[in-house]
């Protein structure tokens, strides 16, 4: 009920009377009073004025199930939310939940990861209280061959969600990083379990640097946070909500054709690599060229001096030739 | 040590003296005596003759870690073996082991499954003591797009392994069933976890009907067991070993080109559907035609009255037009 009361206080114009809350949720005044007190203890500043009612003055940047649920406006993402103060890795959690029958749209959020992972099993730095670590469970009836494009969809959603909440301009470093002012603020790790021709489930993991005030020397040139770039603290729950609202929008367009057909133009506008020199780290034959956007199948178009090449997110990394992007 | 003693007794021509066993394994006579007694208790008939030594008269059809290890001659399959008298599903077990870091070649075998699964989550009947339920963990560095052919490789290995141990002629019903005399004796369920472009692991599950003496009315027309078809009891551990020896052989050939190029001829010889009428259950547009073998990419070639079609194991089932195959 805390989530509902919080949502009611947030959406109210001025004060909400205790009586109103009692009637709305069919509970006693004592129950309302208890819930309000718990919210105060969790860090929400709630004013109570006699004969007027309750009024929310400010909410801190906290993550909790209550906070996430009270912010939720999405249609199906987050219908089930699992929140952890600390977990090994939200992707690992989400995979286990998916194996055990959790539904399409299940969302896992953690305030800290003790075993965060990036691509190819690389470690992902996961401090407590400063970043967003979250994973979404999908169980779509699509061709497994089309699933890798969901990483691109997610990148668009993260870029859009951050822009909407912080006003920062976000670009996508194909295929799975989000950059602000040329530095990385977010990585995406999409994992999939299939019966070869049939998808058991997909898990999309997102890590976003939010409140970090600085980064270790060795990554300072390439990594940044939303706080550093915007110069102020941000609210993670609001960003999370905005990301998934964007995601639902792009996902619907993707599902129509199971590819990027309806999204190429918008994607290319967000593409950090656009018209930039890139180095394609093909293990057999690395080469350089100019990135020219994506194809409807989500491949990166790279013009080399001799030919146009299409890079699928396969066994290949793409690096900026001058700097991170 | 029981596995090693069992293997030594099996490979010996006549009697093996206790002294020999002591020296070979660097243990005391009491330790050898204890191990022999445990083997007897497990059902092995071992004769002990004074001044001659030990001699194995017969071994029952039992599954145990000892039995599996003592039979093992493969190079890397089964380097780690997990045996369960009963488990939910060997694929589920194998997936969990793979997630937790188990190595390429880890083998899971169970005498009973309480939640056996077939394709698309269908239940798989899994009685105790009569069948083979096993799953192999692979962590290969191959293109995820080429992984579905591992089902075909496994089908060849199962067919070959059963033929070698029982003498029964085995055919493959593309893509993942093995048939004897036109009835199903084995199903294969291949599952994969990827990071889209990178394989975390593959799990190949195999279920083989071995000792079943009869089947329920509703599947009697399509299902059979090795015992029914050969008219005698079979040893599951021997079949398991033979299957994986065959698997290693075919897997090596597959790895060279990451496809079926070097195996098409042999596969087609084993193909139960070869030159038969099949119905391709394409959800959008089902059609009928004559199966003509597989392509180097593992697709089934089907000639319809108007065109040659290539069926990938995608969203498609293939049914025999006259009977199960």
């Amino acid at each position: 009920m805390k989530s509902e009361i919080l949502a009611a206080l947030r959406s109210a114009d001025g004060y909400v009377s205790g009586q109103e809350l009692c009637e709305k949720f069919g509970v006693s005044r004592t129950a309302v009073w208890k819930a309000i007190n718990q919210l105060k203890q969790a860090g929400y500043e709630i004013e109570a004025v006699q004969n007027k009612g309750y009024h929310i003055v400010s909410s801190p940047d906290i993550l909790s199930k209550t906070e996430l649920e009270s912010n939720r406006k999405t249609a199906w993402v987050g219908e089930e939310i699992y929140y952890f103060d600390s977990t090994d890795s939200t992707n690992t959690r989400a995979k286990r939940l998916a194996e055990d029958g959790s539904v399409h749209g299940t969302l896992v959020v953690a305030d800290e990861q003790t075993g965060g992972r990036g691509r190819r099993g690389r470690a992902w730095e996961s401090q407590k209280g400063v970043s967003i670590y979250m994973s979404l469970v999908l169980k779509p009836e699509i061709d497994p061959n089309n699933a890798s494009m969901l990483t691109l969809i997610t990148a668009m959603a993260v870029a859009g969600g951050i822009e909407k909440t912080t006003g920062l301009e976000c670009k996508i470093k194909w295929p799975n990083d989000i950059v602000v002012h040329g530095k990385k603020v977010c990585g995406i790790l999409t994992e999939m379990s299939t019966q070869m021709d049939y998808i058991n489930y997909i898990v999309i993991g997102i890590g976003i640097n939010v409140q970090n005030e600085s980064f270790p020397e060795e990554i300072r040139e390439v990594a940044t946070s939303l706080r550093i770039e915007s110069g102020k603290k941000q609210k993670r729950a609001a960003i999370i909500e905005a990301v998934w609202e964007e995601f639902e929008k792009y996902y619907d367009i993707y599902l129509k054709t199971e590819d990027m057909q309806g999204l190429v133009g918008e994607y290319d506008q967000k593409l950090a690599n656009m018209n930039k020199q890139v180095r394609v780290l093909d293990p057999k034959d690395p080469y350089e060229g100019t990135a020219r956007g994506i194809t409807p199948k989500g491949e990166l178009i790279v013009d080399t001096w001799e030919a146009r090449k299409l890079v699928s997110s396969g066994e290949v990394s793409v690096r900026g030739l001058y700097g991170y992007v």
Side-chain angles (χ1 to χ4, degrees), chain A:
Chain A
M1 199 190 48
K2 278 185 287 172
S3 314
E4 286 88 347
I5 289 181
L6 200 50
L9 292 179
R10 278 218 186 88
S11 64
D13 222 8
Y15 287 83
V16 185
S17 77
Q19 189 56 34
E20 247 178 88
L21 293 172
C22 292
E23 281 164 17
K24 193 161 181 179
F25 304 116
V27 296
S28 69
R29 286 198 78 120
T30 320
V32 168
W33 180 84
K34 268 191 187 162
I36 295 273
N37 264 3
Q38 283 169 359
L39 288 170
K40 280 183 181 169
Q41 268 159 30
Y44 299 93
E45 206 181 322
I46 298 172
E47 209 181 32
V49 177
Q50 212 149 21
N51 297 326
K52 279 174 137 184
Y54 299 105
H55 168 66
I56 189 156
V57 182
S58 75
S59 27
D61 173 38
I62 47 172
L63 286 184
S64 65
K65 202 173 177 202
T66 304
E67 177 69 15
L68 294 165
E69 283 179 345
S70 69
N71 271 284
R72 181 171 177 255
K73 289 184 215 75
T74 46
W76 55 272
V77 170
E79 206 157 2
E80 274 201 56
I81 295 178
Y82 289 82
Y83 170 77
F84 301 97
D85 282 330
S86 180
T87 190
D88 46 358
S89 135
T90 56
N91 261 31
T92 302
R93 277 278 179 177
K95 288 198 280 185
R96 253 181 263 146
L97 286 165
E99 290 276 353
D100 295 347
S102 280
V103 297
H104 182 73
T106 298
L107 181 62
V108 179
V109 179
D111 197 34
E112 177 185 46
Q113 291 188 126
T114 54
R117 289 178 295 113
R119 287 176 92 192
R120 314 268 155 123
R122 291 179 203 120
W124 179 272
E125 190 57 52
S126 310
Q127 277 178 271
K128 190 169 180 67
V130 293
S131 302
I132 291 169
Y133 314 112
M134 61 181 172
S135 299
L136 179 69
V137 174
L138 297 176
K139 297 191 168 178
E141 291 186 2
I142 58 170
D143 185 333
N145 297 315
N146 296 333
S148 68
M149 284 176 271
L150 289 171
T151 301
L152 308 194
I153 298 296
T154 307
M156 294 179 81
V158 171
I162 293 177
E163 280 187 13
K164 290 222 162 125
T165 39
T166 69
L168 290 166
E169 193 192 27
C170 284
K171 294 277 189 180
I172 299 166
K173 180 172 173 289
W174 184 91
N176 64 328
D177 289 349
I178 308 298
V179 296
V180 174
H181 305 146
K183 290 180 176 181
K184 177 168 172 173
V185 294
C186 168
I188 297 163
L189 176 65
T190 307
E191 300 190 83
M192 176 165 71
S193 164
T194 69
Q195 292 179 23
M196 291 307 152
D197 53 337
Y198 170 82
I199 293 178
N200 291 325
Y201 59 84
I202 293 167
V203 162
I204 302 177
I206 299 176
I208 308 177
N209 303 327
V210 183
Q211 312 296 23
N212 319 54
E213 296 179 44
S214 67
F215 284 88
E217 184 92 35
E218 60 276 21
I219 57 168
R220 205 167 291 162
E221 289 299 303
V222 296
T224 190
S225 76
L226 301 180
R227 179 176 194 171
I228 294 170
E229 298 306 319
S230 69
K232 59 183 180 201
K233 276 201 152 199
Q234 302 291 345
K235 282 188 190 156
R236 289 173 293 163
I239 296 170
I240 291 172
E241 174 57 21
V243 165
W244 295 120
E245 284 176 25
E246 293 292 294
F247 181 84
E248 288 188 345
K249 182 180 78 183
Y250 293 126
Y251 187 73
D252 278 349
I253 301 171
Y254 161 83
L255 270 193
K256 275 181 204 154
T257 51
E258 276 189 32
D259 67 12
M260 304 295 289
Q261 231 176 89
L263 293 165
V264 168
E266 194 172 339
Y267 188 95
D268 284 354
Q269 281 186 349
K270 288 187 190 290
L271 182 62
N273 318 86
M274 194 67 177
N275 296 323
K276 293 214 174 136
Q277 291 295 103
V278 295
R279 185 167 172 76
V280 180
L281 301 175
D282 189 321
K284 280 166 205 151
D285 180 25
Y287 58 88
E288 289 164 11
T290 310
R292 298 293 189 202
I294 61 163
T295 69
K297 289 285 163 208
E299 301 139 314
L300 187 69
I301 302 166
V302 176
D303 285 340
T304 73
W305 64 276
E306 50 175 3
R308 167 154 289 193
K309 303 215 179 189
L310 302 183
V311 189
S312 53
S313 61
E315 289 297 298
V316 164
S317 277
V318 172
R319 295 274 163 78
L321 211 54
Y322 310 107
Y324 176 61
V325 176

